[in-house]
Amino acid sequence: MSSVWITGLGAVTCLGGTAADLWRATLENRTGIAGGIGPVADRFVTPEFNDNRALAFAVRASGEAMAQAGWDELRPDDGLILATTTGLFLQWDRAFTEFVAGRMEREVFRRDFLHQPIGELTKFLARELGHRGPSTLLTSACSASTQALALGALWIRQGRARRCLVVGVEVLCDLTREGFRSLQLLSDERAKPFDRHRGGINLSEGAAALCLDTDGARALAGLAGSGLSTDAFHMTGPQPGGQGSERAMRQALRQAGIGARDVEWVHAHGTGSMANDLAEGCAIARLCGEYRPWVSSTKWVHGHALAASGALEAVLIAQAMRAGVIPRTRGLEQPDAGIPVRHPAKDMPYRGGAVLKNTLGFGGTNASLVFTAATR
């Protein structure tokens, strides 16, 4: 099985317009969350994309990743995979609000709604990047860009693409915020992953892009294995014991050809919600048994960017591995005694072991990735 390497990183987040901004904020204990949300500054939306915020984020992150990887262009045998849940929501969610309030005619709303299918964003991004090769869209809730990275690696290993650009993007909009608020999942304070007093998640927006390649000359990290599962336990909640998440993690380790004892750090989904953190923590504890790797979440820093979160956190993981640092969980003050995992009390040295990335999504969509250090 050919090795798949991450060779380029790009990010647009509530911390700034580059991947370096995101990493710097993590090290400096800075958060982009205010009032419970993490919006991207308007200055990162160039005038030509004023009417398409999601495309602006995706193009910017893609350009940064491709420049680092040394890709001048996307070729016909390169793949492009986009992950999102909101996509072009901003093109019609205000119209939806007006329609529900009785301030817009049905036919006017119908026209706005029908002419903004979520798949159009993939076409727009391909056009901006001059891409004519294979492309697809994943919309599998919060696991989407983690799954997209798994699919990108699969395409390369199966010969369906020579290289692959994977992009996750989300935008904040009224429909998303009010939907999560109706589920009582939002916190107006900054998220506190794994804390006994955690009160919910912080929604954020932005984009992250990663270049996948078999050429290890520019390797930042290896993508060694992936695991996917669907437990379908509940529309929005995970299985209380995290069984679906555990299956995804075991599958990822098996594909990578390693065991739990080879994992030095688990970058958890760790949203700060009561049910998610408990289920995930139980799954990690069962997976690792008496061996206890470091477990941490970075959601306090950048918020929860839904479908983009897996790609965004993969960018952070690659940077952390290169820098030799395992970030602690910012916002964690009093660890929940019911979550039996080992939290670093401070940033710890990373010594070169495997890193396991975990993601849980609505509908029981679970995804996990195994990253390995780049060899030179």
Side-chain angles (χ1 to χ4, degrees):
M1 186 169 64
S2 59
S3 297
V4 175
W5 303 102
I6 297 168
T7 58
L9 309 171
V12 180
T13 69
C14 53
L15 284 313
T18 68
D21 291 332
L22 174 62
W23 178 240
R24 190 178 306 113
T26 303
L27 291 179
E28 294 174 354
N29 298 322
R30 286 190 290 110
T31 178
I33 304 302
I37 60 171
V40 171
D42 290 341
R43 68 178 181 276
F44 298 119
V45 180
T46 51
E48 65 267 33
F49 298 124
N50 275 341
D51 63 341
N52 196 329
R53 194 172 178 87
L55 183 60
F57 297 160
V59 168
R60 186 182 181 101
S62 298
E64 183 186 9
M66 290 173 64
Q68 185 177 25
W71 297 6
D72 295 329
E73 60 181 355
L74 289 179
R75 301 169 187 170
D77 57 354
D78 290 335
L80 172 63
I81 303 178
L82 180 70
T84 188
T85 59
T86 52
L88 300 176
F89 271 26
L90 283 178
Q91 315 303 97
W92 60 263
D93 91 312
R94 294 188 182 92
F96 177 77
T97 303
E98 292 296 298
F99 171 68
V100 171
R103 296 189 292 266
M104 179 177 286
E105 296 294 326
R106 179 182 297 272
E107 284 306 308
V108 175
F109 170 67
R110 183 175 181 275
R111 182 193 64 217
D112 286 350
F113 182 82
L114 291 180
H115 286 83
Q116 298 298 339
I118 196 168
E120 288 297 291
L121 184 59
T122 311
K123 296 180 183 178
F124 293 158
L125 180 59
R127 182 192 64 199
E128 291 297 324
L129 299 177
H131 179 248
R132 298 180 181 276
S135 64
T136 194
L137 169 73
L138 293 180
T139 61
S140 46
C142 303
S143 296
S145 61
T146 308
Q147 293 181 343
L149 286 164
L151 181 60
L154 180 65
W155 277 10
I156 292 171
R157 289 178 175 132
Q158 291 184 337
R160 299 190 179 197
R162 184 174 62 91
R163 308 177 303 188
C164 197
L165 176 65
V166 177
V167 184
V169 62
E170 290 289 9
V171 291
L172 286 168
C173 56
D174 292 341
L175 187 62
T176 306
R177 282 195 296 264
E178 295 312 310
F180 273 86
R181 196 179 306 281
S182 71
L183 296 171
Q184 299 181 335
L185 291 175
L186 297 186
S187 173
D188 292 330
E189 299 179 349
R190 290 165 182 162
K192 300 164 71 71
F194 301 115
D195 195 279
R196 62 182 297 189
H197 299 301
R198 60 192 183 278
I201 71 175
N202 298 149
L203 290 177
S204 63
E205 64 180 354
L210 297 95
C211 294
L212 304 184
D213 202 337
T214 55
D215 182 1
R218 291 176 176 263
L220 305 173
L223 184 48
S226 60
L228 311 176
S229 72
T230 306
D231 57 55
F233 173 79
H234 188 270
M235 288 182 65
T236 59
Q239 284 178 287
Q243 291 88 345
S245 177
E246 182 184 357
R247 285 195 297 273
M249 289 188 286
R250 289 192 184 280
Q251 186 185 124
L253 294 177
R254 187 164 55 248
Q255 188 180 102
I258 64 173
R261 288 185 173 274
D262 299 305
V263 175
E264 183 175 353
W265 171 33
V266 179
H267 186 298
H269 190 51
T271 61
S273 77
M274 292 300 293
N276 179 96
D277 289 6
L278 179 59
E280 184 180 17
C282 289
I284 294 169
R286 281 198 310 276
L287 175 76
C288 298
E290 294 182 359
Y291 173 70
R292 303 178 72 201
W294 296 117
V295 176
S296 64
S297 165
T298 54
K299 291 289 197 300
W300 180 91
V301 178
H302 50 73
H304 188 12
L306 303 181
S309 65
L312 188 157
E313 290 163 16
V315 167
L316 261 179
I317 288 168
Q319 291 174 303
M321 294 171 76
R322 297 286 290 176
V325 177
I326 295 175
R328 65 177 175 86
T329 301
R330 273 71 178 173
L332 174 58
E333 298 171 354
Q334 298 181 48
D336 187 334
I339 302 177
V341 299
R342 187 168 67 139
H343 306 286
K346 60 181 180 180
D347 292 349
M348 301 297 293
Y350 166 68
R351 304 190 186 282
V355 178
L356 182 61
K357 170 73 196 105
N358 208 26
T359 309
L360 288 71
F362 279 1
T365 56
N366 308 290
S368 298
L369 301 171
V370 173
F371 298 91
T372 53
T375 55
R376 294 301 177 94

